Amino acid sequence: MNVAEVIIDDDSVGIEEAIDIAVITGAPFISLDLEVFDSAELLDEDAPYGDPNDSAAARKRDRLIKSAGKHNGEPERLWLRWAANGLTYGWTTDTPDWRQKLTAEIDKANLEVQLESSAQSKAQEVASEALINFLAESPEFRAAPVRKRKSLGLALIAGSEHETDDWTAERAIARAALQVERVALQVERSLAPELDEVAAELWQKHAWQMATTNTKRQEVANDFLIKRSGGYMLSATFSKALVDTTKKLDETNIEIIRR
């Protein structure tokens, strides 16, 4: 739409000659369009590039656009258009010098906005990765139950030297939790074939021997697995399986004593 197949500019052909060409080609009618400058349209076009309150380059760009408001209402380009013999024709005037200069300045400013935004994104990513590593390497965070990791992560960040906003902090906590869970799963898979041996280790612990309730035994098993896994909280399913296997050792030894 509105893209002519034959373009004629006013460097070589004047408007009177353009009309003569339209007559010669047999155009049934000619349309005349005048494009008028409106600086508000530039703001709409450039809005996705960045927030002027957050970017020095964006503020510079918006000052250019605001200054360009003095040209509002001035003609940018005149178009003659017609269709004839299966083709669309268009004749247009050159863009005024002030508009060409403004376009070049805004394009340069937009490039600066993009470069500045890219640099900020890289800096934020570096800071985010540092935050994720800080959490993933924290013994408290590794050993925390899944339901408590968010609140603990926020507390750890608040007490650290890492300065960040809430959204970035929560995103880092989620990614760190995923990283911790992956390692915990790998450890769990490596221990699964050795469940009987691990249960035998737990059974020999004084804390297990002193535990008299299922709740206390589960707590002892969780603490044991955290130390056994290098500081990671393993799944409740694996912990329960360990408790059940260790309790069988209790029953076996009681039976031996009775005999």
Side-chain angles (χ1 to χ4, degrees):
M1 294 296 292
N2 296 328
V3 178
E5 296 170 291
V6 181
I7 298 291
I8 307 168
D9 60 67
D10 66 349
D11 284 339
S12 54
V13 176
I15 188 169
E16 295 87 355
E17 294 171 300
I19 294 174
D20 289 341
I21 294 173
V23 173
I24 293 171
T25 57
F29 66 89
I30 298 175
S31 66
L32 176 64
D33 296 309
L34 178 63
E35 295 179 4
V36 177
F37 179 73
D38 183 358
S39 59
E41 293 179 358
L42 295 176
L43 285 170
D44 293 339
E45 291 173 4
D46 298 323
Y49 284 105
D51 185 341
N53 295 321
D54 296 333
S55 169
R59 290 194 294 271
K60 175 183 175 182
R61 177 205 60 208
D62 290 346
R63 283 196 297 271
L64 283 171
I65 295 175
K66 184 177 180 179
S67 176
K70 62 186 178 184
H71 294 289
N72 284 343
E74 294 185 22
E76 282 194 81
R77 180 174 290 186
L78 178 68
W79 278 96
L80 291 179
R81 294 186 178 92
W82 67 90
N85 301 320
L87 294 174
T88 55
Y89 295 80
W91 173 90
T92 181
T93 56
D94 285 336
T95 305
D97 291 342
W98 64 265
R99 186 62 172 92
Q100 293 181 22
K101 181 180 179 182
L102 176 63
T103 299
E105 290 176 342
I106 291 176
D107 287 346
K108 181 180 178 181
N110 280 333
L111 178 59
E112 292 176 1
V113 171
Q114 291 174 330
L115 292 175
E116 186 175 274
S117 177
S118 177
Q120 289 176 348
S121 296
K122 289 179 180 178
Q124 289 173 352
E125 186 62 29
V126 169
S128 179
E129 287 297 326
L131 198 56
I132 292 168
N133 292 335
F134 163 72
L135 292 170
E137 293 172 1
S138 166
E140 296 92 340
F141 190 80
R142 287 181 178 181
V146 174
R147 67 183 183 278
K148 294 184 178 180
R149 280 185 183 148
K150 182 177 179 180
S151 58
L152 176 62
L154 291 172
L156 289 172
I157 293 171
S160 72
E161 297 179 353
H162 296 272
E163 296 182 2
T164 186
D165 57 89
D166 291 343
W167 183 86
T168 302
E170 291 184 9
R171 183 167 175 265
I173 291 169
R175 290 177 61 185
L178 181 59
Q179 185 173 317
V180 166
E181 287 167 15
R182 285 173 178 168
V183 176
L185 181 58
Q186 291 173 356
V187 173
E188 190 172 308
R189 286 175 175 172
S190 69
L191 292 177
E194 306 171 2
L195 184 59
D196 290 340
E197 291 85 347
V198 176
E201 289 182 36
L202 174 59
W203 184 79
Q204 296 174 22
K205 297 295 182 182
H206 178 70
W208 175 269
Q209 300 293 338
M210 297 301 294
T212 57
T213 64
N214 287 333
T215 300
K216 188 62 179 177
R217 286 175 174 175
Q218 191 66 64
E219 291 176 359
V220 171
N222 289 340
D223 292 341
F224 171 77
L225 282 175
I226 289 172
K227 294 176 182 177
R228 187 67 166 71
S229 65
Y232 292 92
M233 169 66 76
L234 302 189
S235 70
T237 301
F238 187 81
S239 180
K240 184 178 184 303
L242 177 61
V243 169
D244 292 342
T245 304
T246 310
K247 285 168 67 176
K248 289 179 182 178
L249 291 177
D250 283 336
E251 295 168 1
T252 300
N253 281 276
I254 291 172
E255 185 64 27
I256 291 172
I257 293 171
R258 285 176 179 174
R259 289 178 184 176

